[in-house]
Amino acid sequence: MEIMSEFRQNKATKEWVILAPERGKRPQDLIKVRPKRKPPPPYRNDCPFCPGNEDQTTEPVLVLPQQSNWQVRVVPNKYAALQPHLTATRSWVGSFLAAKGFGIAEVVIEHPRHDQNIALMELDEVTNILRAYRQRQVEISKNERINLVTIFRNRGPKAGTSLEHPHSQIIATPIVPPHVRYPMEQAVLYYDGHGSCVYCDMVEEELRQGERIIMDSDNFVAFCPFASRSPFECRIYPKKHMASFTLIDDEEIVELAWLLREILGKLHYSLNDPDYNYIIRSSPIGDENTRHLHWYMVIVPRVTIRAGFEMGSGIYINTLAPEESARYLRETEIKR
Ligand SMILES: [Zn+2]
Ligand SMILES: [Zn+2]
């Protein structure tokens, strides 16, 4: 099969991807390989996140909409790799740098029902999940030893979780790793050169070109980026400049919940409920008002596997053009 390949560069991070779509391969061809997920039961006696088992988790740090009738519970993660009672002090092992495993790790239990799924929830339920994210990120950001809050969701074994109950996670670290710092440095250089936020410019360019847009609303836009790393990679950006997710207001959060549910709904129906990760990438703490950073959500359906070349070079090979991914998702109708 003939392959028409090209390199593409991510405008913001300067990362390269190789776009190598096999001619004649359609989005449907990637989907058929996924076996149908076995539907879980609505409740499980042995699930620590199901109603009736609240005593099996640590005391919640947040409950929405109210304690007596919870929809969202945020609890400290019992099995976390990082612990809040440790210090953030660096230490040396010979000439090697180390630090105690200080950090904050929380689980956001998204719904009482074991078999629920954001793609199928009511709008106010999705909004409550996002409100919980915002409230916890604001609260955790007050900790002077925390520098980065990462909010993410793993759905399914290929995305890194075997826990069926709908949940997402918040991990806050004292460290800002190179993976986050490097794109920030690129964004500063871009700002110095152009006098504008590279993400604002990227969003504007995607809107102008149009062919990778899935859908948009007044304040947000969802698209498959020009330099997508994998098939059906989706991003949601606020259209106006905003460096931190904590700055989203009450009206915008409802709008974001709607758009997120639309995108996850499209993935759910067109890719047969795929395993996926999503991540909210927000500025490190202290940079909330900076002019060169811009928060966004990235949604990555796990339809391909990262192999040796990707690990070795950091260059991802994407076998489906984002223009095709976006067109397919745009045309997917949601039968909610
Ligand atoms: Zn459960
Ligand atoms: Zn911006």
Side-chain angles (χ1 to χ4, degrees):
M1 192 168 296
E2 195 188 346
I3 294 183
M4 301 289 290
S5 68
E6 68 178 24
F7 281 100
R8 287 188 177 187
Q9 192 179 44
N10 181 320
K11 186 177 174 73
T13 64
K14 302 287 184 235
E15 281 171 285
W16 289 96
V17 301
I18 296 170
L19 184 60
E22 287 173 34
R23 191 172 265 188
K25 205 168 194 177
R26 300 158 309 161
Q28 295 89 313
D29 300 327
L30 290 163
I31 300 151
K32 279 196 193 109
V33 296
R34 223 200 78 76
K36 204 167 169 61
R37 196 189 298 276
K38 202 170 142 254
Y43 297 99
R44 277 186 75 130
N45 287 336
D46 59 350
C47 170
F49 298 161
C50 272
N53 296 337
E54 284 86 352
D55 59 347
Q56 290 182 28
T57 59
T58 27
E59 273 298 299
V61 287
L62 176 66
V63 180
L64 293 176
Q66 64 258 331
Q67 194 77 34
S68 55
N69 177 30
W70 68 268
Q71 183 226 313
V72 179
R73 292 176 83 231
V74 184
V75 298
N77 189 345
K78 257 187 178 175
Y79 308 101
L82 300 175
Q83 300 288 338
H85 61 269
L86 301 169
T87 68
T89 320
R90 266 74 162 167
S91 60
W92 294 94
V93 181
S95 67
F96 299 136
L97 182 59
K100 290 265 189 302
F102 162 73
I104 295 169
E106 296 176 350
V107 179
V108 180
I109 303 164
E110 297 165 346
H111 202 279
R113 273 188 70 144
H114 191 84
D115 60 347
Q116 258 296 1
N117 177 347
I118 294 182
L120 308 175
M121 284 183 200
E122 298 297 327
L123 182 58
D124 65 326
E125 294 175 333
V126 185
T127 309
N128 275 336
I129 296 168
L130 296 182
R131 284 189 188 116
Y133 291 167
R134 180 183 59 180
Q135 199 170 326
R136 289 311 300 153
Q137 188 173 345
V138 166
E139 202 53 44
I140 293 168
S141 298
K142 292 176 187 161
N143 186 316
E144 282 180 6
R145 295 181 298 159
I146 293 293
N147 282 299
L148 184 71
V149 179
T150 304
I151 298 169
F152 61 99
R153 181 168 211 272
N154 305 333
R155 175 159 170 86
K158 278 195 224 145
T161 185
S162 49
L163 247 169
E164 284 175 336
H165 199 108
H167 70 287
S168 33
Q169 295 184 63
I170 302 171
I171 296 187
T173 57
I175 284 157
V176 181
H179 177 76
V180 173
R181 197 63 93 182
Y182 178 75
M184 286 173 63
E185 287 163 1
Q186 290 301 323
V188 173
L189 293 177
Y190 185 95
Y191 191 85
D192 288 345
H194 295 77
S196 55
C197 162
V198 67
Y199 297 97
C200 284
D201 288 1
M202 193 164 68
V203 166
E204 205 182 297
E205 181 68 10
E206 288 288 3
L207 282 165
R208 196 183 65 77
Q209 294 189 16
E211 55 181 343
R212 287 171 298 275
I213 305 289
I214 307 165
M215 59 196 301
D216 69 342
S217 62
D218 288 349
N219 294 293
F220 296 93
V221 56
F223 56 85
C224 299
F226 176 73
S228 288
R229 287 171 160 192
S230 55
F232 305 105
E233 174 184 334
C234 303
R235 296 191 178 207
I236 301 177
Y237 283 83
K239 286 180 183 171
K240 73 169 186 207
H241 182 76
M242 206 190 301
S244 172
F245 173 70
T246 54
L247 300 175
I248 187 170
D249 71 26
D250 289 339
E251 281 169 29
E252 289 164 340
I253 213 162
V254 179
E255 201 181 306
L256 177 66
W258 174 80
L259 189 55
L260 175 64
R261 187 180 69 156
E262 288 296 301
I263 298 302
L264 294 179
K266 283 171 176 287
L267 293 172
H268 180 86
Y269 287 109
S270 68
L271 301 186
N272 201 11
D273 189 12
D275 290 359
Y276 66 81
N277 301 100
Y278 75 53
I279 302 127
I280 299 180
R281 293 229 170 98
S282 203
S283 73
I285 294 160
D287 291 328
E288 286 85 351
N289 293 306
T290 187
R291 291 181 178 172
H292 57 268
L293 299 177
H294 197 118
W295 76 266
Y296 61 93
M297 282 189 88
V298 52
I299 304 156
V300 184
R302 302 303 288 254
V303 291
T304 52
I305 293 169
R306 197 167 71 135
F309 179 68
E310 280 88 349
M311 290 170 75
S313 64
I315 301 173
Y316 284 71
I317 299 175
N318 183 355
T319 53
L320 186 69
E323 294 76 17
E324 283 296 304
S325 294
R327 190 178 53 80
Y328 191 71
L329 293 174
R330 214 165 36 231
E331 289 170 3
T332 298
E333 284 189 30
I334 302 175
K335 311 167 211 95
R336 194 174 280 120

